[in-house]
């Protein structure tokens, strides 16, 4: 090739603007922000009344002045994996994050039941919309998102479907009680459910295998995650299942959701129910979803 050709190609390369690419991992997942001395990040612990009991709760308060989008993050059954790494990542991205223990779980006063947990999730959402809470934590009520893992995914979907002001819903290997009920028709399904409940009862007050099973068998419409997601409608929704967890449930309810909202994003990853080897990827997916809801914080 002639020297003039080489020089011309080099000049063209220099003249072509670089294509901006998002980092492989969102910076909020891997990098602490600069401290804000005037409005530092902090944690507040408190109790939210609910029914005959209360929820022990923690607010991860985002740094910075002005209003903040806010995430309600719900754990599963019984909540051994609390996903607090996700709370920290979301806060680094500029979000307040409310976490809690349902009535009757992990020392929260009251009796645990699936019905109570659903009421608790909705009461937590109402708490975020109260004027005093909004003022104290500078909450942007137009940007409240609900996320939930496993049983918390069902509770998140029920709360979000019932509150049209929720701006987004993020489900992590969500549990569908209706599919569990269907599995009880087989000996294998019943044995598996008994083992699941037996292992999860110790941190729960007032619950038993019989009481919990009667709840989900007694009201098929209420405990149907696919129905809840259809009712949620066309708002932003991401579902991430785990193929070594209950990803088959995620696929089923994801298809239900897509029937009402074609923009539903469904993924099933090769990991276990706790996303034990996908924590960074999960935090990245959540933060990017939140950025889509509140794009000024990207």
């Amino acid at each position: 090739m002639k020297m003039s050709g080489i020089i011309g190609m080099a000049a063209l390369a220099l003249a072509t603007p670089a294509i901006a690419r998002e980092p492989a991992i969102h910076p909020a997942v891997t990098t602490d922000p600069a401290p804000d001395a005037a409005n530092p990040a902090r944690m507040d612990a408190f109790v939210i009344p609910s029914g005959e009991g209360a929820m022990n709760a923690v607010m991860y308060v985002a740094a910075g002045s002005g209003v903040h989008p806010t995430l309600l993050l719900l754990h599963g059954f019984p909540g051994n994996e609390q996903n607090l790494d996700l709370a920290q990542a979301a806060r680094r991205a500029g979000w307040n994050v409310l976490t809690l223990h349902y009535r009757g779980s992990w020392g929260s006063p009251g009796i645990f039941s699936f019905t109570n947990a659903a009421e608790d999730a909705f009461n937590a959402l109402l708490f975020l919309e109260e004027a005093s809470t909004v003022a104290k934590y500078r909450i942007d009520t137009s940007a409240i998102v609900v996320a939930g893992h496993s049983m918390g995914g069902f509770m998140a979907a029920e709360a979000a479907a019932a509150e049209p002001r929720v701006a987004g819903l993020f489900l992590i290997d969500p549990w569908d009680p209706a599919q569990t009920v269907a599995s009880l028709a087989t000996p294998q399904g019943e044995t598996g459910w008994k083992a699941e409940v037996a292992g999860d009862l110790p941190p729960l007050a007032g619950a038993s295998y019989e009481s919990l099973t009667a709840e989900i068998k007694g009201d098929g419409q209420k405990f149907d995650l696919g129905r809840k997601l259809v009712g949620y409608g066309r708002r932003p929704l991401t579902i991430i299942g785990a193929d070594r967890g209950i990803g088959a449930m995620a696929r089923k309810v994801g298809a239900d959701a897509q029937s009402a909202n074609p923009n539903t994003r469904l993924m099933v990853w090769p990991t276990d129910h706790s996303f034990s080897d996908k924590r960074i990827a999960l935090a990245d997916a959540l933060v990017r979803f939140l950025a889509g809801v509140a794009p000024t914080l990207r």
Side-chain angles (χ1 to χ4, degrees), residues 7-103:
I7 293 173
M9 291 176 64
L12 179 62
L14 290 172
T16 302
I19 299 173
R21 292 185 175 87
E22 288 189 343
I25 300 295
H26 194 286
V29 178
T30 60
T31 307
D32 287 321
D36 186 321
N39 296 281
R42 70 180 194 273
M43 290 174 60
D44 283 1
F46 46 85
V47 172
I48 303 173
S50 189
E52 86 296 344
M55 299 172 279
N56 295 327
V58 172
M59 181 76 85
Y60 289 73
V61 185
S65 60
V67 296
H68 296 287
T70 299
L71 173 68
L72 171 60
L73 179 61
L74 301 171
H75 70 65
F77 175 67
N80 292 311
E81 176 55 74
Q82 294 182 49
N83 294 293
L84 298 183
D85 55 333
L86 305 186
Q88 297 281 9
R91 180 170 63 174
R92 287 192 293 270
W95 287 67
N96 296 327
V97 184
L98 176 63
T99 68
L100 55 86
H101 291 306
Y102 312 100
R103 271 178 286 175

Side-chain angles (χ1 to χ4, degrees), residues 108-261:
S108 287
I111 299 299
F112 179 85
S113 70
F114 295 135
T115 298
N116 284 354
E119 292 176 357
D120 293 342
F122 189 70
N123 287 339
L125 191 55
L126 296 181
F127 169 80
L128 291 176
E129 296 173 339
E130 290 177 2
S132 58
T133 309
V134 170
K136 181 174 183 177
Y137 296 110
R138 301 192 304 277
I139 293 172
D140 179 356
T141 55
S142 71
I144 294 177
V145 168
V146 187
H149 173 227
S150 190
M151 181 201 76
F154 175 82
M155 304 308 168
E158 174 156 290
E163 174 49 274
R165 288 177 289 183
V166 167
L169 179 61
F170 188 90
L171 305 184
I172 306 163
D173 212 26
W175 174 54
D176 180 13
Q179 293 184 63
T180 293
V181 170
S183 76
L184 296 178
T186 68
Q188 297 92 336
E190 186 175 18
T191 298
W193 176 237
K194 282 183 176 178
E196 171 73 20
V197 173
D200 289 340
L201 281 177
L204 306 178
S208 66
Y209 171 82
E210 290 75 17
S211 67
L212 296 173
T213 304
E215 274 193 274
I216 59 174
K217 291 177 72 174
D219 193 338
Q221 291 192 0
K222 175 179 174 58
F223 290 104
D224 185 328
L225 178 56
R227 180 184 292 268
K228 302 297 181 187
L229 294 178
V230 170
Y232 173 74
R234 302 181 68 89
R235 288 170 282 170
L237 170 61
T238 286
I239 304 169
I240 303 181
D243 67 357
R244 299 199 306 274
I246 51 176
M249 288 188 176
R251 288 190 175 94
K252 165 63 169 62
V253 300
D256 292 336
Q258 287 169 341
S259 71
N261 180 3

